[in-house]
């Protein structure tokens, strides 16, 4: 049983962070933010997949101004990601950003930081203090050295120093992230930071990599931290389409029995008995399940002989054969269909289950 650390609670739009609230799943768009149509299309796909907070890059004034339209078209809170430019931070808030991510120490000095904090107070939005291994102040690197698993002190000191800059302006609607591309540095850094503050923590492994390495590194680091009760919101960072980050995030939460969203899918690793393209079949089904809310277990198996028995606990499943496939429920054959019809028939059955779930809800 996981016991979460008690942290302060803040709100990003209507999403509570910390204070015992459900661990929130985030992502970030990779479109040109000022391209409102493309960015909204990506946000809508992320919403459907279960994303609860979305962050957008704000590299210029056109991006800051686009946030007005993005917020109107989004059902989830929009956070502005700012680097160096206090003017853009203020503009993003004026145009409806429901949170900003900054490094307070690199905004150009106390006066510019004060303007940003004043705007955050006026618009009643939180600030994420985000520190990465590559953005640590030179004096801290000189004192502590580059962050390592044995000594992540520079990351922690940088984050807490920047938090104090906000506190000096009477601002406390804060969450903190200290990201490294190294898995063990990330784990130890957040462990120590969690002992030093009760602000909510945003977890993440920065520059984690593509689908396989990024999923592994993020799942190891974040899985360990979440299992220790550390973390209030997180992003799985992948060099992939952002919706993939949401898929990994919910599977991570499900594996730790922290949160479950929609169906769980089980599938066999294939063997010499497989006579269908199970890889493609499983991918299509998995994408379909990402849009569903019913809490069912779904199996995609490659062998008609063993599939239903091996996946007996599944509410519904399919197994392929040589030119024929079967649908089964709780291990019992429910329907036989031609192989060419297996996927469309199965997707139709899933639609029926989802409709039943919505009627009951």
């Amino acid at each position: 049983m996981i016991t979460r650390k008690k942290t302060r609670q803040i709100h990003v739009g209507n999403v509570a962070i910390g204070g015992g609230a459900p661990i929130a799943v985030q992502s970030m768009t990779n479109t040109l933010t000022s391209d409102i149509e493309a960015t909204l299309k990506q946000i809508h796909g992320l919403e459907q997949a279960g994303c609860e907070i979305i962050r957008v890059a704000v590299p210029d004034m056109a991006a800051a101004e686009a946030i007005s339209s993005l917020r109107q078209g989004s059902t989830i809170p929009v956070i502005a990601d700012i680097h160096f430019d206090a003017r853009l931070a203020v503009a993003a808030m004026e145009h409806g950003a429901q949170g900003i991510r900054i490094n307070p120490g690199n905004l150009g000095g106390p006066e510019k930081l004060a303007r940003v904090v004043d705007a955050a107070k006026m618009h009643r939005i939180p600030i994420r203090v985000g520190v990465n291994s590559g953005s640590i102040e030179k004096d801290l690197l000189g004192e502590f050295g580059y962050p390592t698993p044995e000594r992540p002190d520079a990351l922690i000191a940088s984050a807490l120093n920047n938090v104090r800059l906000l506190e000096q302006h009477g601002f406390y609607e804060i969450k903190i992230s200290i990201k490294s591309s190294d898995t063990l540095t990330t784990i130890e850094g957040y462990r120590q930071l969690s002992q030093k503050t009760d602000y909510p923590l945003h977890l993440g492994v920065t520059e984690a990599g593509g689908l396989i390495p990024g999923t592994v590194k993020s799942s190891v680091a974040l899985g360990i931290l979440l299992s220790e009760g550390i973390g209030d919101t997180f992003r799985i960072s992948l060099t992939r389409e952002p919706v993939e980050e949401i898929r990994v995030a919910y599977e991570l939460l499900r594996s730790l029995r922290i949160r479950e969203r929609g169906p769980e899918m089980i599938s066999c690793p294939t063997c010499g008995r497989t006579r269908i393209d199970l890889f493609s079949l499983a991918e299509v089904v998995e994408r379909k399940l990402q849009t569903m809310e019913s809490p069912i277990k779904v199996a995609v198996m490659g062998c008609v002989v063993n599939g239903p028995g091996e996946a007996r606990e599944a509410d519904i499943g399919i197994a392929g054969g040589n030119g024929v496939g079967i649908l089964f429920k709780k291990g019992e054959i429910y329907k036989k269909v031609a192989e060419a019809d297996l996927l469309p028939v199965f997707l139709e059955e899933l639609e029926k289950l989802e409709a039943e779930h919505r009627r009951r809800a």
Side-chain angles (χ1 to χ4, degrees):
M1 185 71 177
I2 296 173
T3 301
R4 289 179 61 195
K5 177 183 174 179
K6 184 74 172 180
T7 54
R8 307 185 194 190
Q9 188 168 96
I10 64 172
H11 286 81
V12 180
N14 61 357
V15 177
I17 305 293
I23 296 170
V25 173
Q26 304 195 22
S27 186
M28 186 172 183
T29 58
N30 59 16
T31 56
L32 189 67
T33 304
S34 55
D35 185 341
I36 295 168
E37 183 178 355
T39 304
L40 277 177
K41 181 179 180 180
Q42 195 166 84
I43 290 174
H44 293 157
L46 287 161
E47 290 169 341
Q48 190 176 42
C51 183
E52 294 166 310
I53 299 172
I54 189 64
R55 183 158 43 108
V56 298
V58 181
D60 50 39
M61 192 57 69
E65 293 170 352
I67 290 177
S68 296
S69 298
L70 299 180
R71 179 171 172 180
Q72 290 175 12
S74 172
T75 63
I76 58 178
V78 177
I79 293 179
D81 189 85
I82 309 293
H83 286 278
F84 305 112
D85 198 326
R87 181 179 58 102
L88 293 178
V90 172
M93 289 184 276
E94 289 175 343
H95 285 86
Q98 291 154 287
I100 59 170
R101 181 271 188 192
I102 60 171
N103 184 327
N106 67 19
L107 286 177
E111 291 185 4
K112 291 182 178 180
L113 176 60
R115 289 203 295 272
V116 172
V117 173
D118 286 344
K121 287 180 178 178
M122 179 186 303
H123 296 285
R124 297 182 177 180
I125 68 169
I127 293 175
R128 169 154 73 97
V129 172
V131 176
N132 292 345
S133 292
S135 64
I136 297 172
E137 298 86 339
K138 290 182 179 179
D139 61 325
L140 293 178
L141 290 175
E143 181 179 355
F144 297 113
Y146 192 79
T148 64
E150 295 73 27
R151 199 176 185 194
D153 306 64
L155 268 174
I156 298 164
S158 179
L160 294 179
N161 286 349
N162 281 292
V163 166
R164 281 190 283 272
L165 291 176
L166 298 180
E167 292 176 333
Q168 288 169 5
H169 291 278
F171 191 85
Y172 304 96
E173 296 299 302
I174 300 167
K175 63 179 184 288
I176 309 173
S177 67
I178 51 166
K179 294 186 178 182
S180 169
S181 60
D182 180 73
T183 301
L184 297 179
T185 302
T186 298
I187 294 168
E188 191 56 33
Y190 274 109
R191 278 175 174 162
Q192 294 186 26
L193 178 62
S194 178
Q195 295 173 357
K196 296 176 182 292
T197 183
D198 66 349
Y199 283 114
L201 300 183
H202 171 113
L203 305 183
V205 177
T206 191
E207 300 162 356
L211 181 61
I212 302 301
T215 294
V216 172
K217 290 173 70 173
S218 295
S219 296
V220 170
L222 275 58
I224 289 173
L225 291 168
L226 291 169
S227 72
E228 295 177 0
I230 299 169
D232 302 284
T233 181
F234 70 99
R235 176 194 175 192
I236 300 288
S237 297
L238 301 176
T239 310
R240 298 280 289 200
E241 288 302 309
V243 72
E244 303 285 358
E245 300 181 352
I246 305 303
R247 295 169 66 184
V248 174
Y250 277 106
E251 288 305 318
L252 174 58
L253 290 174
R254 188 197 302 275
S255 70
L256 292 170
R257 297 186 181 178
I258 293 174
R259 290 186 65 184
E260 292 194 20
R261 179 189 183 275
E264 176 183 3
M265 184 176 119
I266 58 176
S267 60
C268 71
T270 74
C271 69
R273 290 187 295 270
T274 304
R275 292 294 181 267
I276 60 171
D277 182 4
L278 193 67
F279 298 152
S280 298
L281 193 64
E283 180 66 18
V284 173
V285 173
E286 187 176 354
R287 289 185 180 279
K288 172 62 179 177
L289 299 184
Q290 193 71 30
T291 68
M292 295 173 59
E293 298 177 0
S294 49
I296 58 174
K297 182 171 287 189
V298 176
V300 179
M301 310 297 286
C303 173
V304 171
V305 177
N306 292 334
E310 292 175 352
R312 186 173 299 277
E313 73 275 19
D315 295 291
I316 187 170
I318 52 174
N322 191 6
V324 67
I326 63 168
L327 277 69
F328 58 90
K329 295 183 178 181
K330 296 294 186 181
E332 300 295 331
I333 295 177
Y334 165 68
K335 186 183 293 186
K336 290 185 178 181
V337 297
E339 181 183 337
D341 298 328
L342 184 58
L343 180 59
V345 170
F346 189 54
L347 294 178
E348 184 179 345
E349 291 292 331
L350 292 176
E351 288 282 2
K352 291 177 183 177
L353 287 173
E354 182 72 353
E356 290 174 10
H357 171 74
R358 288 175 177 166
R359 282 195 298 270
R360 289 195 301 268

